[in-house]
Amino acid sequence: MGNGTLFVATAGQAILRSADDGLTWHRQGLGQILEFDGTVRSLSASPISAETVYAGTDVGLCVSHDTGNVWERVDSPFNGQTVWKVAVDPRDANRIFVGTGAPSRAVLWRTLDAGKSWTRAPVEIPEFCAGVSRPRLLAFAFDPTDRSQLWFGLEEGGLFHSRDGGDNWERVDDRLLYDFHTDIHNIAVLPNRGKKVVVVVCVNAVYRSEDEGQTWTGLLAKEAWGLYYIRALGVPAGTDDTLYISISDGTPGATSKVLITQDAAKTWELQPFPQQPNSCIWAIGINPANTAQMIAGAKYGDLFTSTNSGNMWKKEWREFSEITDVLWTSAVARMRPAHQSIAKK
């Protein structure tokens, strides 16, 4: 019996899973809306059922209620579009935000009833932008201290803040300090023992705010660590002040590192890998049931796991196509041969 199930989302192999700590890996089953050679950009698990996992895919939003054996599409106005971000509220399994993007039009969607109905955020996002041609909605964060406050960001297209649960949004990235502040890769909100901190990861800098985004301090990656590209962010469930980021020399990059902060992004410590990843670390996942268990995937397919909060990493034997997201859930999947894993009719 393994320590839960590892999910690796890819561009080209859909989702691969392991329920035995990486000893064996299983591809997506046939006969489903989610093709085994499709593209999956984002993963998010339900807070009330470890068996329920949502996937942002090239056919829209999909969900599995059996830890990834069978996938169904959640009917929505964005069926057939590419979903780049799925964010399930960790305190309300019915409240889910979904962000689309390239090659589809970038839009933020919200459901309050687990996908039965959807509303579109009243935000104007341009169809094209500098840097990546078409924007992608990559980043979303819930405020664990105030459910009415939400954040999202685009690559590229700016940083947005809502104080009313997503009914209205204000663009606020013009308050950030450095160039490329429209290129948002990740966001986190840390309770920080009553002194809340909002952390925003741009392509080249890490920002923190102690006043809900009115003012910011920043750290340029190149000056701090000699590498300029910041990508992934991982937040342990229930943390007050701890998070992880990945930095690299570019995308896809030839070198990459993971850093940890335990003081709400004031200071950072390097967590070295046993060998250099073959590209930028693109995604970091943490088991919500055991935050010492972590998984990190590189853009060009290297995969690393840790069982001690990233103090030591192990490179997994299996290499993948382009890794887009990773997830470690506490539920242990009962794997079936891929050709027998047929979707429900």
Side-chain angles (χ1 to χ4, degrees):
M1 184 68 69
N3 294 307
T5 303
L6 308 181
F7 286 73
V8 176
T10 73
Q13 297 178 45
I15 295 170
L16 294 100
R17 296 171 299 145
S18 175
D20 54 14
D21 301 327
L23 181 64
T24 61
W25 290 89
H26 301 259
R27 73 173 189 175
Q28 180 59 46
L30 303 178
Q32 306 194 51
I33 186 66
L34 179 55
E35 292 286 348
F36 73 89
D37 57 356
T39 294
V40 178
R41 295 288 181 185
S42 180
L43 298 168
S44 187
S46 167
I48 60 174
S49 169
E51 293 81 12
T52 298
V53 176
Y54 290 87
T57 81
D58 54 3
V59 296
L61 178 66
C62 294
V63 64
S64 172
H65 297 290
D66 61 359
T67 325
N69 280 319
V70 175
W71 292 91
E72 303 168 352
R73 183 160 62 186
V74 179
D75 191 37
S76 73
F78 47 90
N79 284 350
Q81 298 181 33
T82 297
V83 171
W84 282 77
K85 186 64 178 180
V86 183
V88 183
D89 188 336
R91 294 169 296 176
D92 182 355
N94 291 319
R95 188 165 77 144
I96 305 168
F97 288 82
V98 170
T100 57
S104 307
R105 188 72 179 263
V107 174
L108 176 68
W109 296 89
R110 177 185 64 177
T111 178
L112 303 177
D113 52 19
K116 295 182 179 65
S117 61
W118 294 89
T119 56
R120 178 173 176 165
V123 177
E124 290 301 320
I125 299 170
E127 185 174 1
F128 298 97
C129 63
V132 293
S133 184
R134 293 178 182 268
R136 309 99 188 270
L137 201 154
L138 295 183
F140 193 94
F142 298 93
D143 185 330
T145 71
D146 182 353
R147 76 184 310 270
S148 65
Q149 297 211 47
L150 307 164
W151 299 80
F152 82 88
L154 297 120
E155 178 192 55
E156 298 176 10
L159 175 68
F160 295 81
H161 182 205
S162 174
R163 297 179 181 273
D164 58 10
D167 290 336
N168 297 280
W169 295 87
E170 178 188 10
R171 184 170 176 176
V172 297
D173 56 284
D174 59 347
R175 302 169 189 168
L176 302 179
L177 306 173
Y178 308 118
D179 291 338
F180 309 112
H181 59 76
T182 66
D183 195 350
I184 311 296
H185 284 179
N186 261 298
I187 310 166
V189 183
L190 299 173
N192 198 32
R193 295 170 179 82
K195 299 179 180 179
K196 180 169 59 180
V197 173
V198 181
V199 180
V200 171
V201 172
C202 288
V203 63
N204 64 328
V206 178
Y207 298 94
R208 67 191 306 274
S209 174
E210 297 180 348
D211 55 13
E212 296 179 341
Q214 297 302 308
T215 61
W216 300 84
T217 57
L219 186 65
L220 281 169
K222 185 69 172 178
E223 292 181 0
W225 306 300
L227 299 171
Y228 76 90
Y229 186 83
I230 313 176
R231 187 70 197 191
L233 184 152
V235 184
T239 187
D240 259 274
D241 52 17
T242 299
L243 57 81
Y244 302 80
I245 61 171
S246 69
I247 58 171
S248 182
D249 57 344
T251 174
T255 184
S256 192
K257 300 175 181 179
V258 167
L259 301 166
I260 181 175
T261 179
Q262 295 177 295
D263 56 11
K266 284 185 177 179
T267 62
W268 298 86
E269 181 181 351
L270 177 66
Q271 293 191 309
F273 290 107
Q275 65 189 78
Q276 184 55 237
N278 65 0
S279 53
C280 177
I281 294 296
W282 211 250
I284 298 171
I286 304 168
N287 187 349
N290 179 359
T291 56
Q293 296 178 328
M294 300 179 61
I295 181 171
K299 182 176 178 70
Y300 279 2
D302 280 357
L303 189 72
F304 297 83
T305 56
S306 174
T307 58
N308 60 3
S309 302
N311 291 308
M312 294 182 62
W313 292 93
K314 168 192 171 186
K315 186 181 184 300
E316 296 297 326
W317 69 273
R318 169 63 72 199
E319 295 180 353
F320 302 83
S321 64
E322 179 182 342
I323 292 177
T324 57
D325 204 1
V326 292
L327 180 73
W328 194 327
T329 181
S330 59
V332 179
R334 295 186 177 182
M335 299 295 183
R336 292 181 287 177
H339 66 279
Q340 294 181 10
S341 183
I342 305 301
K344 299 175 183 177
K345 299 299 183 183

